[in-house]
């Protein structure tokens, strides 16, 4: 793909995903009343449900610990080593760049926005640090994205791969709401930022359009290398 078209592709991604994220960030930072009230209403309703269903709280704790940022980064590192040993070093570098860029952006945004987490008299879980965006939702989206776009060429039937990625990212974000440690908008922002970073870096690293990358992965040659 020509440089101009690649830049255009990245710009389209930015508009389609980063604009909603930026708008959400502005509304959160500005303490927009309707958003705050909506977040509070959902959080309170989910918290009351969680208190009545301690078994699901235990499942949420189990899930959120397994798919926490550092275990996901460790899994991504294993993927990088696997790619590097098979001399697919461009894909390996893309995974490192995507996970690092997303993680750094998430940490910086937490410090910039300084949003406090939900607070309850009878919390079912606790978490430290600022709230926006959700680091669990962000890193789950990043990890799901890099694993799908790297491993896609290996699988003949690709929709189950995308479905599995959506389930991991989706449920990881939802557990943070169930546990009462994030507002709903924190989780949505984490998902949006994760998708934006994966899409933008994939478009920047490859010489193809975003649609072929989504269909064939970041390195289609990986299919032949694993046969």
């Amino acid at each position: 793909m020509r440089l101009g078209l690649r830049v255009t592709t990245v710009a389209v991604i930015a508009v389609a995903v980063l604009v909603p994220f930026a708008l959400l960030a502005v509304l959160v930072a500005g303490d927009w009343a309707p958003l705050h009230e909506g977040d509070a209403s959902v959080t309170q309703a989910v918290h009351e449900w969680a208190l009545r269903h301690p078994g699901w709280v235990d499942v949420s704790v189990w899930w959120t610990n397994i798919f926490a940022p550092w275990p996901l980064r460790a899994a991504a590192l294993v993927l990088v080593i696997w790619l590097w040993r098979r001399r697919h070093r461009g894909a390996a570098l893309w995974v490192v760049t995507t996970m690092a860029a997303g993680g750094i952006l998430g940490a910086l945004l937490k410090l910039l926005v300084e949003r406090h987490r939900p607070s309850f008299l009878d919390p079912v879980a606790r978490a430290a640090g600022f709230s926006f965006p959700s680091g669990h939702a962000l890193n789950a989206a990043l990890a799901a994205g890099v694993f799908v776009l790297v491993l896609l060429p290996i699988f003949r039937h690709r929709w189950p791969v995308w479905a599995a990625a959506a389930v991991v990212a989706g449920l990881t974000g939802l557990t943070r709401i169930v546990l009462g440690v994030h507002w709903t908008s924190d989780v949505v922002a984490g998902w949006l930022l994760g998708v934006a970073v994966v899409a933008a870096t994939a478009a920047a690293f490859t010489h193809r359009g975003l649609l072929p990358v989504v269909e064939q992965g970041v390195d289609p040659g990986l299919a032949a290398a694993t046969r």
Side-chain angles (χ1 to χ4, degrees), residues 13 18 49 106 146 184:
I13 296 167
L18 284 180
W49 177 88
V146 299
T184 302

Side-chain angles (χ1 to χ4, degrees), residues 48-120:
E48 292 173 359
W49 177 88
L51 290 174
R52 297 193 302 269
H53 300 85
W56 284 108
V57 172
D58 293 339
V59 171
S60 296
V61 170
W62 171 80
W63 185 281
T64 203
N65 287 337
I66 289 177
F67 295 103
W70 281 110
L72 290 174
R73 289 166 185 154
L77 178 59
V78 173
L79 180 64
V80 168
I81 294 171
W82 181 76
L83 288 167
W84 194 268
R85 293 184 64 182
R86 282 159 177 75
R87 300 187 182 278
H88 289 266
R89 293 174 179 174
L93 181 59
W94 173 73
V95 173
V96 172
T97 301
T98 302
M99 295 298 296
I104 291 170
L105 280 173
L108 289 175
L109 284 164
K110 282 180 182 288
L111 295 176
L112 288 173
V113 178
E114 294 186 340
R115 190 185 200 186
H116 293 290
R117 296 176 185 270
S119 178
F120 302 98

Side-chain angles (χ1 to χ4, degrees), residues 20-36 113 115 132:
F21 169 81
L23 176 60
L24 189 56
V26 168
L27 294 177
V28 167
D31 199 22
W32 191 51
L35 178 64
H36 179 73
V113 178
R115 190 185 200 186
F132 183 93

